[in-house]
Amino acid sequence: MAWFSFWSLGHLDLMQISSRDFHAAVAIGSCFLLFGAAAGLGAFFLFRRSYREVKNWKTTSGTVIGDKVISDPRTQLPQYYPTFQFVADNGQSVTSVASIGSSRRRYRVGASVRVLYSPDDPQKAQLNSFTDLLLLPIFLGCFGLAFSGVGIYLFIRLTIDCLIK
């Protein structure tokens, strides 16, 4: 029986797999757990860095003036990055491009948006939206939880089956 065949059965039956296959299953569980933990840590540090960066920034309203269109080199499909304009507290008019793009236009030209900007350097600005602030850390966190969950399941299941043997 191949070491990967227990995946297709939907359960682990360690009474039927060899020692070599058992070690392969432990290695797979370890990889899932380590990869999940790394993704979770990455999400935590990304969120913390983002929070620390913008916690003292000012909020104002801005207007979308267009999109910066960049072709994705892998798919050759366009990615739309909203270009927005706002006026900082010092009266300076600032134009900036969002750091997160998408495969379709997220805002229509003329749409009002909330903008976060650094009071020390208004050129450092980003849209105050879920997508721009939290999407990547939350995605990485969920990815990390899922992979860690699979790794933990494998370890618990392997331990129980070994104790029963």
Side-chain angles (χ1 to χ4, degrees):
M1 171 187 262
W3 66 270
F4 56 84
S5 63
F6 63 79
W7 294 105
S8 62
L9 295 174
H11 69 283
L12 291 173
D13 187 1
L14 292 179
M15 300 298 204
Q16 296 179 6
I17 64 174
S18 70
S19 168
R20 182 181 66 87
D21 295 338
F22 174 79
H23 292 296
V26 169
I28 290 171
S30 298
C31 288
F32 271 92
L33 190 59
L34 289 174
F35 191 70
L41 282 172
F44 171 75
F45 286 116
L46 188 62
F47 175 78
R48 191 177 80 171
R49 181 181 63 101
S50 178
Y51 173 76
R52 284 184 175 174
E53 184 176 276
V54 301
K55 75 177 179 179
N56 295 322
W57 285 15
K58 297 203 177 237
T59 304
T60 189
S61 59
T63 306
V64 174
I65 59 171
D67 289 296
K68 180 178 182 180
V69 181
I70 299 174
S71 181
D72 186 334
R74 291 176 289 131
T75 63
Q76 299 302 316
L77 296 174
Q79 293 290 308
Y80 299 95
Y81 293 81
T83 303
F84 55 95
Q85 193 169 39
F86 66 97
V87 177
D89 280 350
N90 63 8
Q92 177 185 5
S93 179
V94 179
T95 300
S96 189
V97 177
S99 58
I100 304 290
S102 66
S103 59
R104 60 181 178 81
R105 290 182 168 89
R106 292 185 351 210
Y107 303 98
R108 61 175 170 67
V109 173
S112 180
V113 291
R114 300 298 297 163
V115 177
L116 286 167
Y117 70 94
S118 170
D120 301 328
D121 182 9
Q123 295 297 326
K124 288 184 181 177
Q126 65 183 30
L127 295 175
N128 188 5
S129 70
F130 172 81
T131 302
D132 289 80
L133 296 175
L134 298 174
L135 185 63
L136 186 57
I138 288 175
F139 175 77
L140 271 177
C142 291
F143 192 73
L145 280 174
F147 268 71
S148 294
V150 169
I152 290 169
Y153 169 78
L154 287 173
F155 279 121
I156 289 172
R157 188 62 198 203
L158 291 170
T159 303
I160 289 172
D161 287 345
C162 283
L163 291 173
I164 292 172
K165 248 182 171 177

